[in-house]
Amino acid sequence: IVACGLCGQKSKHALIISYSQFGAPDLDGRPAPMLRNTMPYWVYECPYCGYARDNLNRPCELTKTELKALYDAVETRYPRDDHPWLQQYRERLLQDALNPDSNKTRILRGEYHIGIELAKQFLKYGKLLAKTGENAEAARQFLHAAWLFEDERKPDDAAVWRRAAIEQAVLALKNPDLKKRNELFTMLVYMLRRVGGVNAVVKLKTPGWPYCC
């Protein structure tokens, strides 16, 4: 039971306490299936006010009006689909995370089709982080959304949010006190490779280029 850091209402959410991971991530940094299938538990959404982040207990740094403006932009772009199988989908994904022999492809791309709704939760959290200056983490949330849009066979939307992740990563890398700099830089290289090809990655070494770190 979690008390929302925005509205104070309590709601029930499943938490991932531990996980196993077999296999290397792909070239976009996306983890192997056992960890990948826990994505519905990487971000949580309050069912009462829609507040979305990795820890709903944490108070929101913005006012309700400011947060609503960020969320409305997401909802306008992707109108809400109240899919009746949302909770069952999440329960099945959790089972998949614990059972490597299950049919993950059917669950991720099969009869439930709610990847966009989950992507929107990542987008809402990412927009909050970007607004409050947590650029490195905002980049990760936008990238997570891009992965889900690709699962839903929406490459144009995936490209939009991968570019948004690039912008946030570049801003983060300008911070001299940034932790895990090498990890974020590697993520940036992979994202640039996806949206701009080899030339974009080569430009990373060009002095004065906007992405030069």
Side-chain angles (χ1 to χ4, degrees):
I1 305 296
V2 179
C4 176
L6 182 63
C7 70
Q9 293 282 354
K10 294 182 178 180
S11 54
K12 186 177 181 180
H13 300 271
L15 300 176
I16 298 295
I17 304 300
S18 63
Y19 59 85
S20 296
Q21 182 176 195
F22 297 99
D26 62 22
L27 292 180
D28 201 24
R30 193 171 186 180
M34 290 187 72
L35 177 55
R36 178 188 307 173
N37 285 355
T38 65
M39 285 184 70
Y41 304 94
W42 295 4
V43 64
Y44 299 92
E45 184 176 53
C46 174
Y48 298 98
C49 69
Y51 183 43
R53 73 183 313 152
D54 61 342
N55 183 359
L56 283 179
N57 276 320
R58 182 175 171 181
C60 184
E61 299 86 346
L62 305 180
T63 65
K64 290 184 178 181
T65 301
E66 291 172 327
L67 192 66
K68 184 177 184 300
L70 295 181
Y71 286 3
D72 284 350
V74 176
E75 292 293 346
T76 300
R77 187 180 184 108
Y78 306 108
R80 187 171 184 83
D81 178 15
D82 291 316
H83 202 289
W85 297 101
L86 176 59
Q87 186 56 39
Q88 184 178 358
Y89 172 86
R90 287 179 166 175
E91 291 172 357
R92 291 289 296 275
L93 281 179
L94 180 59
Q95 293 173 11
D96 269 4
L98 302 175
N99 178 13
D101 296 324
S102 61
N103 188 346
K104 302 176 185 63
T105 300
R106 184 178 65 84
I107 297 300
L108 286 172
R109 297 185 177 179
E111 65 265 34
Y112 303 118
H113 299 295
I114 63 161
I116 293 176
E117 289 301 313
L118 180 57
K120 286 163 57 178
Q121 293 181 28
F122 284 112
L123 293 180
K124 290 176 179 179
Y125 184 29
K127 283 181 172 288
L128 170 61
L129 292 166
K131 186 73 172 180
T132 57
E134 298 182 60
N135 306 107
E137 193 56 38
R140 294 184 180 94
Q141 303 309 316
F142 290 149
L143 179 59
H144 296 164
W147 294 343
L148 290 163
F149 280 115
E150 285 173 339
D151 284 345
E152 293 294 327
R153 297 177 175 83
K154 293 186 176 293
D156 292 342
D157 290 290
V160 165
W161 295 109
R162 188 170 275 107
R163 290 190 174 93
I166 288 171
E167 292 175 2
Q168 292 299 314
V170 169
L171 289 173
L173 287 165
K174 292 178 179 178
N175 179 2
D177 299 322
L178 177 68
K179 298 180 180 179
K180 298 183 178 180
R181 176 177 296 273
N182 290 340
E183 176 185 314
L184 185 63
F185 188 81
T186 301
M187 186 179 86
L188 175 60
V189 170
Y190 288 153
M191 291 191 295
L192 288 170
R193 180 188 60 82
R194 289 294 301 272
V195 303
V198 176
N199 289 338
V201 177
V202 171
K203 288 181 181 178
L204 280 169
K205 297 182 179 180
T206 303
W209 191 64
Y211 292 162
C212 188
C213 308

